[in-house]
Amino acid sequence: MKTLLVANRGEIAIRAFRAAHQLDIGTVAIHTFEDRNSLHRLKADEAYQIGEPGHPVRAYLDPAAIVAAAKEAGADAIYPGYGFLSESPDFAEACIQAGLTFVGPSVRALELTGNKQRARDAAEDAGLPVLQQSPALTPESDLVAFSEAIGFPLFVKAAAGGGGRGMRRVENPADLSEAVDAAMRESLSAFGDDTVFLEEAMTDVRHIEVQVLGDTAGNIIHLYERDCSVQRRFQKVVEIAPAPNLTAAQRDALTSDAVTFAHHINYVNAGTIEFLVDKAGRHVFIEMNPRIQVEHTVTEEVTDVDLVEAQLRIAAGETLADLGLDQESIVLRGFA
């Protein structure tokens, strides 16, 4: 890997440039007209404007424009960061077809984890505990039958995307139809996909996520967990590592299931596997984020592992052993 284009802006672009500089990799920024004075543009070795004035975000969602900028700059790799096209299998495929290294998981892994229902089915196949769930809803779906099989409270959830969009908690059967309609509209607006389903709502739970790293040789390790239970409107507000008040057995079960799932889907690069944990200690798989997360720095603080540098080195063909990483070497150091 000689030159890296970062298909993002702001903090995560600057973070990627820092890791690339540490590895003596050339860096390329992209920016829209409105972002021409943004800090991330100045942190790269060179920068290219994409898109048209008056559309400050659209170009960051344009695979063709980004790939064209990479080719013009002579880049041989693209780092997607988080948000925008980071979870797009079409973008990953476009990079590969253009002869560029996509710094992330395989197209197949993106296709699987990008849909919550497919990911849940894969987790069940891997032997992980999962929530009760309905099939994708259609106009002909029997909402009464599905909801009675699951029980209330329940969630209406978008199959695509994340961040709490296209998600409604329903306490009463009388509110279900309206919630389904609202979730479908929001999901279509946010993700271009109005597929929704019903899912069991565990009550009084914690939200725990496990950071994993995998290489192309099939090696996968975890870097322990983060507690992201403090949320507003299903958006994470505070992340804590390590998660407080987890027993050693609970931590082992969560991290073991995360690694099992990652192996099951042949996962490569950095990813996060998310669980709900109730007061009795029961945990269930809910989804996987096949990318770096905003909160990756919390894990870096307590493991001393540079996750973005690891992403770049793995994408360049190095193994975890080349990085000096194995499960025994990952030790929790303090609190963040």
Side-chain angles (χ1 to χ4, degrees):
M1 190 181 295
K2 301 295 184 184
T3 304
L4 178 74
L5 181 142
V6 176
N8 218 300
R9 63 178 182 179
E11 185 276 335
I12 188 57
I14 295 170
R15 175 71 183 85
F17 294 146
R18 189 184 86 195
H21 284 308
Q22 291 169 342
L23 296 172
D24 198 27
I25 297 170
T27 55
V28 179
I30 56 171
H31 63 90
T32 56
F33 174 79
E34 287 78 6
D35 280 345
R36 63 194 182 280
N37 295 318
S38 294
L39 185 58
H40 81 274
R41 176 188 177 184
L42 306 179
K43 292 292 185 178
D45 296 328
E46 53 184 315
Y48 290 77
Q49 182 174 314
I50 60 174
E52 300 175 355
H55 299 284
V57 174
R58 181 187 298 172
Y60 295 108
L61 295 167
D62 186 342
I66 296 170
V67 168
K71 300 295 283 186
E72 182 180 354
D76 52 10
I78 290 183
Y79 182 83
Y82 46 68
F84 292 135
L85 295 171
S86 61
E87 297 185 45
S88 169
D90 291 339
F91 181 50
E93 181 66 31
C95 293
I96 294 167
Q97 291 300 319
L100 301 164
T101 296
F102 178 78
V103 182
S106 67
V107 172
R108 176 185 174 276
L110 288 169
E111 289 174 339
L112 191 153
T113 57
N115 181 287
K116 294 183 180 67
Q117 288 189 298
R118 287 198 293 267
R120 183 254 188 213
D121 291 344
E124 189 172 33
D125 289 344
L128 273 63
V130 296
L131 292 166
Q132 294 184 72
Q133 192 178 93
S134 77
L137 300 181
T138 68
E140 293 75 34
S141 293
D142 188 338
L143 293 181
V144 173
F146 287 154
S147 61
E148 286 180 350
I150 294 172
F152 288 88
L154 55 76
F155 279 109
V156 183
K157 276 190 175 181
R165 288 171 292 181
M167 185 169 171
R168 296 290 187 278
R169 182 182 172 100
V170 183
E171 303 282 345
N172 302 305
D175 300 327
L176 181 57
S177 180
E178 181 180 345
V180 169
D181 290 343
M184 291 177 72
R185 288 194 301 271
E186 187 174 25
S187 179
L188 183 63
S189 174
F191 314 122
D193 183 348
D194 66 356
T195 305
V196 301
F197 58 90
L198 306 183
E199 186 175 76
E200 170 191 359
M202 289 176 65
T203 57
D204 204 6
V205 294
R206 300 168 65 189
H207 192 155
I208 309 291
E209 56 191 21
V210 178
Q211 178 73 59
V212 296
L213 269 180
D215 64 25
T216 55
N219 304 300
I220 296 172
I221 60 172
H222 69 79
L223 293 93
Y224 292 96
E225 80 289 340
R226 300 182 290 261
D227 187 316
C228 51
S229 303
V230 180
Q231 299 182 16
R232 177 177 181 269
R233 297 179 179 175
F234 309 118
Q235 300 269 1
K236 300 165 188 175
V237 177
V238 178
E239 295 263 348
I240 300 170
N245 303 315
L246 274 188
T247 67
Q250 289 172 329
R251 177 169 285 113
D252 287 346
L254 287 164
T255 54
S256 175
D257 275 354
V259 171
T260 295
F261 180 74
H263 272 299
H264 183 70
I265 65 172
N266 299 314
Y267 195 79
V268 175
N269 218 267
T272 302
I273 296 159
E274 307 201 5
F275 300 93
L276 296 179
V277 183
D278 69 13
K279 280 191 170 183
R282 172 200 175 200
H283 73 271
V284 293
F285 168 94
I286 52 173
E287 66 177 336
M288 181 178 195
N289 288 316
R291 53 172 170 77
I292 201 73
Q293 286 188 277
V294 177
E295 55 270 28
H296 71 276
T297 53
V298 179
T299 290
E300 290 178 329
E301 288 294 323
V302 296
T303 61
D304 284 343
V305 175
D306 187 322
L307 288 168
V308 179
E309 180 179 311
Q311 285 187 285
L312 298 177
R313 293 178 66 181
I314 289 169
E318 295 188 60
T319 65
L320 294 176
D322 295 329
L323 275 62
L325 298 176
D326 57 32
Q327 197 60 69
E328 289 67 36
S329 70
I330 307 301
V331 179
L332 287 171
R333 307 172 189 275
F335 170 88

